[in-house]
Amino acid sequence: MWDWDPASDLVSVSARWADLAGHDGRSIAREAWFERVHPDDVAALRRLLSEVHTGQRERGEEAVRQRLPDGSWRRMVCSATRATDGAFVGGSLSDETELRSVRSRLQEEILTDPLTGLPRRELFLDRLNLALDRFALRGGLPVCVLYVDLDRFHKVNDSLGSVAGDGVLAQLAHRMEAPLRLGDTLARLEGDKFVFLFDGVRGQREALRLAKEIDRALSAPVRVEDVEIYATAAIGAALSRPDSTGEGLLRESTAAMHRVKEGEGVGFALFDPALNDRERDRMLLEANLYQAIERNEFLLHYQPVVSFETGRLSSFEALLRWRHPERGMVSPDQFIPIAEENGLILRIGEWVLDEACRQMKDWQNRIPASADISVAVNLSARQFEEPALVERIAECLERSALQSRSLKLEMTESVVMARTQENAGVLQELRDLGVRLLIDDFGTGYSSLSSLHSFPLDSLKIDRSFVNRMEFEDDKAEIVNTILSLAGTLGMDVVAEGVETAAQLSMLRELGCQHGQGWLFSKAVDHEAASSWIEAGPRW
Ligand code: C2E
Ligand code: CA
Ligand code: CA
């Protein structure tokens, strides 16, 4: 980036400009710059600057060769724009070949979202960083990022189907373009999440005004198939400080949006640089989570489930681990709730399914004893609500060539019992695929036990809070007993979770429980240690 001030004839330059030209300092006389430009190109460059300065042209571009510190020539594209008040001419110098490749990628629509035609995350960050460079170089008004997350949009997809949902999103996206001024950008990050870049905002008040404008643009009903949809959104804003980075500002606006979702504020919140530690922490974790799949930071551990009858391994539960570059292993309890809220769980969940099936198939290929072993994968509520779930799972089995009977799915009671009608259908389709279904954390939800029989389920996993305390609390033992006899009546088997002591094991055996999982047998272990579990004889 460069800025030419005709009054002093000095050119202020960005750090990268200075680096590229091998120039010390952040300002250079115009003629000193032109000395670095190829003699055959100087005239055209002079003309560009003066025509833009005098207003003969709004903006323009020239191809120039500029000398690098090592004496070689580099082909660049120099573009120039007049500042709004005409006081100076600003511009940029880009590597021609880089520029060409960026442009052709643009044409391939890698950087834009086909549904709305809006830029995607990468392009947005590119523009944001450029705007921040400009702010750092010239000062002036801060850059404002507004993060817009539509409320409950997945419900629209659920009830009208994703084609109609896409139509609604495209209409809403188009409407949101209204407040954009020249130089501003609206991008679609993913799904129902949009983000604005306002280049030059006077302060909090103007940010609020813009948020209101967006809210108004969204609030008029959208008609699809005779249904009127009223969209509302949570909007989070962040204003740049001199040291802001693009990623940082985007994270701050996301954090502000979360505060709205969590009920602080009415539809709009401004990021407060003095957020408390917990919020800041959550925000940082969320930002890293977006890249965790691409950066290969996830892995699965496997916790053995032991058969009380044979004393051997009967299946594994796949448990997700995140190897965070700075924090080490992060527990799923910390990041799964975040991933559920921002929708990343769909991609993460698919990764887990793929990896678990791949690993199970690999064991079956290598270890004969693994023929009768299955792997259980946890499904979150968001995955379960996805209309394409059954298809996704069928595809995943196909990719790994794993037989469906080697895969189990765990979901909690509350997930299964919500929307009973639809869910019974989905469960039946999964069952028809040949996948087995387990209810996780059983006993902690509010399901009516009597409705259990209407779902096609294979096993119940008794939550560890009952197993934990049944030695000392009679009512807990009584609940375990009731669950066991209920399951027996319904023809389901039972896995006791969180078995930690030999006393718990013998009580469970006495009550007729068939399977157990817990630290008494083994913690969740990596795939190598899991392999030796498969090969081992009876251990219990
Ligand atoms: P969960 O499905 O109830 O998984 C069992 C959790 O209990 C695991 O914690 C496991 O390590 C822990 N555990 C096992 N035996 C014992 C024991 O004897 N004593 C005690 N105190 N704890 C025991 P983890 O791995 O931290 O997972 C926590 C939760 O995160 C899981 O609870 C599950 O809800 C969620 N989760 C883990 N992996 C995935 C995944 O791939 N997808 C989804 N959607 N959720 C996952
Ligand atoms: Ca589980
Ligand atoms: Ca559980």
Side-chain angles (χ1 to χ4, degrees), residues 133-264:
D133 264 4
R134 204 174 296 140
F135 177 58
L137 184 63
R138 286 178 205 151
L141 295 177
V143 175
C144 176
V145 171
L146 279 178
Y147 191 109
V148 179
D149 187 345
L150 300 176
D151 293 327
R152 297 172 301 277
F153 195 79
H154 60 282
K155 296 270 195 292
V156 174
N157 282 331
D158 285 354
S159 51
L160 298 175
S162 54
V163 176
D166 279 356
V168 176
L169 276 179
Q171 285 191 50
L172 291 175
H174 181 60
R175 281 195 203 160
M176 280 193 286
E177 289 175 317
L180 294 177
R181 309 157 307 182
L182 194 73
D184 295 339
T185 299
L186 167 63
R188 181 177 178 212
L189 292 182
E190 39 139 353
D192 54 356
K193 295 169 178 41
F194 295 85
V195 64
F196 285 87
L197 154 65
F198 290 106
D199 192 0
V201 164
R202 245 164 269 285
Q204 300 198 6
R205 266 170 171 230
E206 195 179 348
L208 175 62
R209 187 185 58 71
L210 287 165
K212 280 196 174 142
E213 216 172 303
I214 295 165
D215 200 49
R216 204 169 326 115
L218 288 174
S219 64
V222 179
R223 287 191 71 85
V224 256
E225 299 169 0
D226 293 337
V227 186
E228 286 199 335
I229 292 162
Y230 291 84
T232 56
I235 302 178
L239 288 169
S240 66
R241 297 180 296 279
D243 60 347
S244 295
T245 62
E247 289 274 2
L249 209 55
L250 188 57
R251 258 183 267 140
E252 291 175 3
S253 65
T254 315
M257 181 280 296
H258 279 302
R259 302 187 64 187
V260 178
K261 290 253 162 177
E262 283 156 19
E264 296 174 40

Side-chain angles (χ1 to χ4, degrees), residues 121 247 251 280-298 322-327 330 335 338 342 344 347-348:
R121 183 185 189 86
E247 289 274 2
R251 258 183 267 140
R280 186 187 303 275
D281 202 56
R282 181 193 160 103
M283 175 187 101
L284 293 175
L285 208 60
E286 174 166 23
N288 295 142
L289 200 55
Y290 279 100
Q291 290 125 28
I293 294 186
E294 284 72 32
R295 297 192 180 163
N296 241 327
E297 291 167 2
F298 287 128
W322 179 13
R323 201 190 294 117
H324 189 284
E326 288 114 41
R327 299 174 191 223
V330 184
F335 66 86
I338 301 178
N342 65 21
L344 270 178
R347 278 167 55 207
I348 298 176

